[in-house]
């Protein structure tokens, strides 16, 4: 087995077939700092799907500002890309979601209502399958009770509430929905 330099390994990866969207996204990533200038540090392209570019921004104010400049940014990007983009969506909500290839996708996004698993081994073992609907509902209710017994209470309705909901709305999602409607 011979050792290859990192450059040789990376160039061999370019030989692999990529979808047109992947190639377009790679081109976009390499030209992003040129198009965005100093704002490139505060923005992160996440994905291109169906001609729409998703971009995470450091703040919501920046997201709003860039939304107003989207036509100019889109025009500059399209001059560098083989396939034109139709729209850019800026969002500050996706900024802290990670930096991997799946950043910002639905699979990796943290929802405020997500309850962290207590003890990975326990969480990974599925409950035994049952054909009796009553037993299945009882097992489900017991698992919900067990998962929620350590959660803080909503200050408004006193129900167990995930920390993400309390951090975001100061109340549980149901009470927040009532307030906003």
């Amino acid at each position: 087995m011979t050792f290859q330099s990192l450059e040789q390994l990376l160039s061999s990866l370019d030989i692999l077939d990529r979808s047109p969207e992947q190639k377009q996204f790679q081109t976009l990533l390499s030209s992003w700092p040129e198009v965005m200038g100093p704002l490139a540090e505060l923005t992160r392209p996440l994905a291109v799907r169906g001609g729409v570019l998703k971009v995470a921004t450091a703040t919501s104010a920046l997201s709003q500002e860039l939304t107003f400049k989207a036509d100019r940014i889109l025009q500059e990007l399209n001059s560098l890309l083989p396939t034109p983009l139709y729209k850019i969506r800026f969002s500050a909500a996706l900024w802290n979601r990670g930096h991997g290839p799946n950043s910002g996708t639905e699979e990796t996004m943290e929802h405020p209502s997500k309850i962290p698993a207590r003890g990975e081994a326990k969480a990974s073992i599925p409950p035994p399958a049952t054909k009796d609907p009553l037993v299945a509902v009882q097992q489900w209710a017991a698992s919900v009770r067990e998962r929620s017994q350590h959660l803080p209470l909503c200050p408004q309705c006193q129900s167990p509430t995930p920390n993400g909901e309390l951090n975001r709305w100061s109340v549980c999602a149901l009470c927040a929905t009532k307030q906003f409607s």
Side-chain angles (χ1 to χ4, degrees):
M1 177 177 176
T2 61
F3 290 102
Q4 296 179 340
S5 71
L6 184 58
E7 238 176 82
Q8 290 172 322
L9 289 172
L10 291 175
S11 66
S12 69
L13 291 176
D14 288 337
I15 296 170
L16 299 174
D17 288 334
R18 291 188 179 147
S19 73
E21 281 189 341
Q22 288 173 325
K23 289 178 184 176
Q24 180 179 28
F25 190 66
Q26 289 302 315
T27 304
L28 185 140
L29 286 177
S30 63
S31 58
W32 189 253
E34 175 189 330
V35 171
M36 296 304 292
L39 293 178
E41 297 281 326
L42 301 171
T43 58
R44 185 181 320 119
L46 298 175
V48 174
R49 288 193 188 93
V52 177
L53 170 63
K54 282 188 178 181
V55 178
T57 61
T59 65
S60 57
L62 179 60
S63 180
Q64 186 174 12
E65 179 184 340
L66 292 175
T67 299
F68 292 125
K69 297 178 180 181
D71 289 338
R72 181 196 59 79
I73 297 168
L74 202 57
Q75 188 176 13
E76 281 188 55
L77 284 173
N78 283 339
S79 70
L80 302 169
L81 297 174
T83 307
L85 296 171
Y86 302 106
K87 189 171 190 170
I88 303 178
R89 291 196 179 131
F90 297 99
S91 173
L94 304 173
W95 182 252
N96 292 318
R97 303 288 194 232
H99 301 278
N102 291 329
S103 295
T105 63
E106 291 71 27
E107 298 83 44
T108 60
M109 289 175 54
E110 289 287 328
H111 191 277
S113 300
K114 183 176 180 179
I115 300 172
R118 294 177 75 80
E120 293 302 318
K122 192 175 186 181
S124 64
I125 300 171
T130 180
K131 295 204 183 263
D132 183 5
L134 183 59
V135 172
V137 168
Q138 289 171 343
Q139 288 175 345
W140 170 80
S143 72
V144 168
R145 264 193 310 278
E146 193 264 322
R147 279 188 358 212
S148 63
Q149 69 184 2
H150 300 290
L151 294 176
L153 299 179
C154 170
Q156 198 163 339
C157 70
Q158 301 302 308
S159 65
T161 306
N163 285 323
E165 292 180 9
L166 291 175
N167 291 340
R168 189 169 200 171
W169 302 300
S170 301
V171 292
C172 70
L174 294 174
C175 290
T177 303
K178 290 176 188 174
Q179 287 176 353
F180 298 136
S181 58

